[in-house]
Amino acid sequence: MAEVAIIGAGVMGLATARALARAGREVVVYEQFEPAHARGSSHGRSRIFRLAYSEPEWVRLAQEALAGWREVEVEGGEQLLERHGLIEIVADLGESSAAALDVCGVAWQRLDRAEVERRFALRLRPGTFAVLQPDAGIIRADRALALFARGIDVRYGARVASLDDVRENCVVITAGAWVNDFVAPPLPVRVTRETICYFRRADARPMPSLVSFERPMGEHPVREVPMGGHRIGGPRIAGIFFYALADPVHGIKAAAHHTGPEVDPSEIGSPDPTLVNAITEWIAEHVPLVDPRPVETQTCLYTTTADERFILERRGRVVIGSACSGHGFKFAPAIGARLAALALETLGARDTGHLAATAGR
């Protein structure tokens, strides 16, 4: 029997399993769905990687994660990061991550509208400009999951009904939107179903990832949901309203951030037509497309805390990892190390090596 059971084979569960296996521990991962399923939060071909955050602590965590991704690439012999930069579209420098990047010694550039169009074939609204952070781009999400799972005992189609059914000495819960099926008292999170659209880009040059604080220009208002003293979906300090990134198949993946309805994750849902229209209008305004209509739409579950921070904690033999809020994927190597360190504490391990050194967050 394994020493540690992990519930949930999304990116955080698999990153934790890899970290524990590297520490010489026997691990089993239980996943209720099939491989590469689209019911949770880790599916798809790409995710944004960025150092650009408005708070230095997040920039530093992203720097740590970047080193972790490079290590995974070397060990796995496969490229996961495609770094073509990230552009923040802003009307004022204070809206951007520039100040926090300066604190952390991360390079960035200010580009005017003409320079952005010349270099990247992207269009900005009058009165806005770009903050370019070059050391950013995308993570090949499907490849990352496969590399994390390599050599790990992952049991797909194995739904855990209760922690009473798990005999391992330590249980790590990385169940995403289903976390509160296993946690009492429940975590203060809400689950939303977000809408994603894919488009074909007219320009073949590599595209930087985009984040924008703009509202759509037309008649497609995006839902605003009160939560924790600020609005999820509305203009927020340090919030992202729209984003876009490269997709290896269609060209562009785009979405409106934190705008989906609250849902039961066990119910299958579909993309929101209102959000599809808003995303379509926004991307067409900024990116020349082969066809203005999306070639595919999809959904993704967000499990969000009030301040969009992560919950990493230990309760007896149970370690909880809700590294979520729609921006967790990029941090997987760093979060996996932290959750593994908590699991090793649970097992009574005395020497957690470099894992323990990163467990303080």
Side-chain angles (χ1 to χ4, degrees), residues 26 28 52 58 109 161 170 331 336 344:
E26 294 291 329
V28 60
W58 288 105
Q109 305 167 32
C170 175
F331 298 113
L344 290 173

Side-chain angles (χ1 to χ4, degrees), residues 193 195 268-273 298-299:
R193 179 170 288 113
T195 292
I268 298 175
S270 57
D272 184 326
Q298 194 178 64
T299 63

Side-chain angles (χ1 to χ4, degrees), residues 125 193-195 212-226 231-236 240-243 255-261 272-282:
R125 290 179 189 172
R193 179 170 288 113
E194 305 297 327
T195 292
S212 170
F213 301 90
E214 306 161 303
R215 285 184 170 276
M217 294 288 285
E219 301 301 320
H220 308 295
V222 177
R223 181 181 295 104
E224 295 181 356
V225 183
R231 294 180 293 179
I232 302 296
R236 294 174 293 132
I240 297 168
F241 205 55
F242 289 96
Y243 68 87
H257 197 48
H258 282 298
T259 50
D272 184 326
T274 299
L275 291 176
V276 170
N277 289 339
I279 295 162
T280 298
E281 181 180 288
W282 175 78

Side-chain angles (χ1 to χ4, degrees), residues 284-339:
E285 181 185 0
H286 292 291
V287 184
L289 303 171
V290 172
D291 186 327
R293 298 166 297 183
V295 295
E296 182 184 349
T297 58
Q298 194 178 64
T299 63
C300 179
L301 294 180
Y302 280 15
T303 308
T304 304
T305 58
D307 59 5
E308 298 180 20
R309 293 178 179 273
F310 304 155
I311 299 172
L312 312 176
E313 63 184 44
R314 181 160 65 94
R315 302 181 183 178
R317 75 176 184 122
V318 176
V319 173
I320 301 167
S322 186
C324 50
S325 299
H327 69 120
F329 199 108
K330 69 179 72 64
F331 298 113
I335 299 303
R338 284 161 169 74
L339 292 174

Side-chain angles (χ1 to χ4, degrees), residues 23 26 33 36 40 52 57 63 80 83 104 174-175 188-189 202 208 233 246 263 349 355:
E26 294 291 329
F33 299 116
E57 63 182 302
Q63 289 174 310
L80 300 177
R83 285 176 288 167
C104 297
T174 52
V189 297
V263 298
L355 295 176

